[in-house]
Amino acid sequence: MQDYREILAEILIDENSLKKRVKELADEINRDYAGEQVLLICILRGALPFMVDLMRNLTIQNSIDCMAVSSYGEGARESTGNVRMTLDLQTNIQDKNVILVEDIVDSGHTISHVLEMLKTRKPKSLKVCVLLDKVSRREVSVPIDYLGFPIENKFVFGYGLDLDEFYRNLPFVGVVDLNRYNQNE
Ligand code: PRP
């Protein structure tokens, strides 16, 4: 695995900006659900750091659960639209205020599919909280209730987003220098 500094073209969103924005999103959620409970659902794995930081800033009562879906063909970086659930929730979401937490929306297929699936389970409310939105890549329209940052179509990593499963722990969102990144090393 290469040192991230070898493949970092630029830091797109630094640690302080992430902290500040995540706190703002949590404040918004605290206001919107004042006096209520929420269930945060993390779509594994990219949304993990974002969800943890988000929940640390919540003052309303909250619980968490995780689910996993697979939408990318092996080795591919593009969503196929062929989304399937690989890990289901432990929680019955009926009559609960659910907030779906995602690291990034690209084509929109993942969120769109997960929303349709969760709606059939009759939650009290269902909202979407996304850290990064690659607006120009959208293929299906998805509602985003809480958005961290709209971003351009750049190949990003860090803060949950991986490169061949590594670098998710980086505290910032960086842009990959594709000329220097040796895949599958
Ligand atoms: C990423 C991201 C979203 C999805 C967005 O997940 O976390 O779930 O892609 O793409 P879409 O809008 O085109 O559907 P990925 O499949 O890379 O898995 P990961 O979260 O485990 O990294």
Side-chain angles (χ1 to χ4, degrees):
M1 191 183 89
Q2 290 169 281
D3 186 297
Y4 79 83
R5 280 165 287 218
E6 292 173 24
I7 53 171
L8 179 67
E10 59 168 316
I11 291 182
L12 190 64
I13 309 170
D14 66 22
E15 193 171 353
N16 280 338
S17 307
L18 284 167
K19 269 191 186 145
K20 182 168 172 282
R21 187 71 191 121
V22 172
K23 168 86 168 61
E24 286 169 356
L25 292 175
D27 287 345
E28 217 179 307
I29 292 170
N30 286 329
R31 279 195 299 274
D32 290 353
Y33 293 88
E36 297 193 60
Q37 298 180 339
V38 294
L39 169 67
L40 301 178
I41 294 181
C42 174
I43 304 183
L44 295 172
R45 286 162 280 190
L48 268 172
F50 175 43
M51 190 182 79
V52 169
D53 287 346
L54 187 70
M55 66 184 283
R56 281 182 176 153
N57 284 288
L58 289 181
T59 51
I60 51 166
Q61 289 189 340
N62 63 90
S63 55
I64 58 167
D65 203 345
C66 297
M67 65 186 293
V69 292
S70 163
S71 63
Y72 288 17
E74 204 173 320
R77 290 225 171 75
E78 308 263 310
S79 181
T80 57
N82 181 19
V83 179
R84 65 191 172 87
M85 187 191 284
T86 53
L87 177 74
D88 202 346
L89 300 169
Q90 307 272 313
T91 315
N92 179 356
I93 66 168
Q94 188 168 353
D95 299 327
K96 295 205 167 80
N97 291 315
V98 172
I99 301 179
L100 210 51
V101 182
E102 256 292 28
D103 53 340
I104 189 164
V105 178
D106 191 311
S107 69
H109 287 298
T110 304
I111 284 274
S112 170
H113 181 85
V114 171
L115 281 174
E116 288 314 307
M117 200 160 41
L118 294 184
K119 271 180 201 164
T120 65
R121 302 182 185 187
K122 310 269 185 266
K124 180 179 177 190
S125 64
L126 182 55
K127 288 196 179 178
V128 175
C129 179
V130 173
L131 181 69
L132 308 171
D133 183 9
K134 271 192 188 177
V135 198
S136 66
R137 297 262 306 163
R138 197 71 86 256
E139 289 172 17
V140 288
S141 151
V142 288
I144 299 179
D145 302 285
Y146 304 99
L147 173 64
F149 303 89
I151 61 169
E152 288 172 34
N153 185 22
K154 291 181 173 174
F155 193 171
V156 286
F157 72 129
Y159 199 66
L161 294 116
D162 72 306
L163 280 182
D164 295 327
E165 292 305 327
F166 290 108
Y167 310 106
R168 293 190 197 268
N169 59 315
L170 294 175
F172 54 80
V173 176
V175 177
V176 184
D177 183 338
L178 286 171
N179 293 321
R180 292 163 71 198
Y181 175 50
N182 304 317
Q183 293 174 43
N184 304 319
E185 222 186 37

